Amino acid sequence: MTVSTDSKKPNLFQLVGYYLGKRLPDSMLDWVREDLTGPGATRRVMLRVMVPALLILAPFWLVPTAMWVRASMTIPILIPFIYFSHALNKIWRKHMLRVHHLDPDLIEKLERERNAGKHQSYIERFGPRPD
């Protein structure tokens, strides 16, 4: 089985490598840019972090004990995973943009464009920010 590098989307092996932080071929840069900056990028990255955590914690739910004991074994571990995946989301996305030699500030640029209407409304209502 050969791995094609001319494709626009990664195959399964390339996708797993990408999820682990490896660089994809230049032919897939548009896909990478959309994955890291497009709609739902934050959600996708958080889910990618949650999958290994859930796989590690799932066996604890097979322990024959009360539900509250299972919850007390897993929830204190799961909460930091959720917290840190959200807190480090932009940092990881910027890192992956750098790995692919794309502009890491693209994330902020797109957010500013998305929120331009809110900022303009604020300026019209309260005036420009004093510097």
Side-chain angles (χ1 to χ4, degrees):
M1 183 166 153
T2 60
V3 177
S4 172
T5 59
D6 298 331
S7 176
K8 299 287 182 193
K9 288 185 174 182
N11 62 33
L12 180 63
F13 297 110
Q14 290 170 324
L15 199 57
V16 169
Y18 171 73
Y19 291 164
L20 296 173
K22 293 189 178 187
R23 188 178 192 286
L24 291 175
D26 289 342
S27 63
M28 299 179 193
L29 288 181
D30 289 334
W31 183 88
V32 170
R33 185 181 303 109
E34 180 64 24
D35 181 58
L36 295 173
T37 63
T42 301
R43 182 183 67 242
R44 283 191 297 273
V45 171
M46 287 184 70
L47 287 173
R48 290 174 194 158
V49 171
M50 293 301 298
V51 169
L54 292 175
L55 290 175
I56 291 169
L57 295 175
F60 288 103
W61 285 89
L62 301 175
V63 174
T65 186
M67 181 68 83
W68 70 270
V69 174
R70 291 184 202 135
S72 68
M73 289 189 295
T74 55
I75 292 175
I77 297 170
L78 192 59
I79 289 172
F81 266 87
I82 295 168
Y83 176 78
F84 285 113
S85 68
H86 186 267
L88 299 173
N89 195 297
K90 266 190 194 177
I91 294 169
W92 176 254
R93 290 177 17 211
K94 283 184 176 188
H95 165 72
M96 289 304 290
L97 286 169
R98 281 188 201 97
V99 165
H100 288 85
H101 305 295
L102 296 170
D103 182 14
D105 293 329
L106 188 59
I107 293 171
E108 275 85 16
K109 288 176 190 174
L110 293 175
E111 284 180 10
R112 279 194 298 271
E113 289 173 8
R114 217 176 291 132
N115 295 326
K118 292 178 188 176
H119 292 293
Q120 187 58 37
S121 171
Y122 179 88
I123 290 170
E124 290 171 2
R125 187 169 178 189
F126 299 108
R129 285 179 39 193
D131 290 329

